[in-house]
Amino acid sequence: MRRLTSLAAVVGCAAAAGYAVKALTVPEPRPARVIDADGDADLTHLSLHADPRLVPVTGHRLVPGRRARYAFTVTNAGTEGVRHVVARSVKVSAPGTDDRLAVVSVSDPSCSAIGRVECIFQRLAPGESRTVRVVVDTPADRPPRGRMTINTFLGRFTGPVGGTIPLEVIGEVRPTTGRFP
């Protein structure tokens, strides 16, 4: 009986020593840290790429009143996840002309499309990219100087001012243009 007790003690000590070595040498995995875009976080690791040109959905050239498409991609090249990143596409218009973007479809469920495209990505993981494909109706009348421009940019919401929630632009504005014959 003594021999069994001694053997059990030796086995128990060896197991405890093995656990201690593992606990001291193998780090426990930590969940990735997530930062809020609407705070004071450094967001320089976020990038935006947008198609430089509108492409007709049918045919070889843009025609007023017909559909065109473009895409943009948001990438988090950082080591931390980011919450509440906003990407927005707006139509640039001449004074006195309609500034609403006639969106037909948008590919990402994080986006809404009422007069503009606005995506609120609840979380972008480290290294994650999201590509959004957009189809729009071009204006039926020929735009001024025969060009349609859509500006896409990243942003973060800031504190409310007078009942509205302003959007602070992050990084550069990326234009997508289309020329009509």
Side-chain angles (χ1 to χ4, degrees):
M1 184 70 160
R2 262 185 175 198
R3 209 168 230 221
L4 276 176
T5 307
S6 296
L7 184 59
V10 169
V11 170
C13 287
Y19 176 76
V21 168
K22 180 182 176 193
L24 294 174
T25 59
V26 178
E28 289 293 318
R30 289 187 207 161
R33 187 172 159 219
V34 179
I35 57 175
D36 284 318
D38 51 1
D40 290 332
D42 175 20
L43 302 176
T44 57
H45 56 276
L46 293 175
S47 65
L48 172 71
H49 171 76
D51 287 345
R53 290 190 171 45
L54 276 171
V55 177
V57 171
T58 59
H60 299 295
R61 59 184 191 182
L62 290 177
V63 176
R66 295 223 180 128
R67 293 189 172 160
R69 61 183 158 81
Y70 71 101
F72 60 88
T73 302
V74 178
T75 301
N76 177 5
T79 58
E80 301 173 322
V82 183
R83 286 189 290 238
H84 311 129
V85 175
V86 179
R88 187 179 281 178
S89 281
V90 295
K91 181 177 150 190
V92 178
S93 61
T97 61
D98 186 16
D99 66 350
R100 294 180 56 82
L101 187 59
V103 181
V104 175
S105 67
V106 61
S107 67
D108 195 295
S110 298
C111 304
S112 62
I114 301 175
R116 65 180 178 215
V117 174
E118 183 166 280
C119 306
I120 302 175
F121 301 114
Q122 293 303 316
R123 185 170 190 271
L124 280 176
E128 182 179 4
S129 289
R130 298 278 289 267
T131 298
V132 178
R133 290 169 181 70
V134 182
V135 175
V136 298
D137 280 330
T138 61
D141 54 340
R142 193 167 184 264
R145 293 192 294 272
R147 185 184 334 187
M148 179 177 171
T149 302
I150 299 167
N151 282 340
T152 304
F153 52 90
L154 295 177
R156 64 175 155 199
F157 292 117
T158 59
V161 176
T164 62
I165 301 175
L167 185 71
E168 175 188 348
V169 175
I170 300 169
E172 294 184 30
V173 175
R174 304 290 182 194
T176 300
T177 59
R179 280 211 171 277
F180 295 90

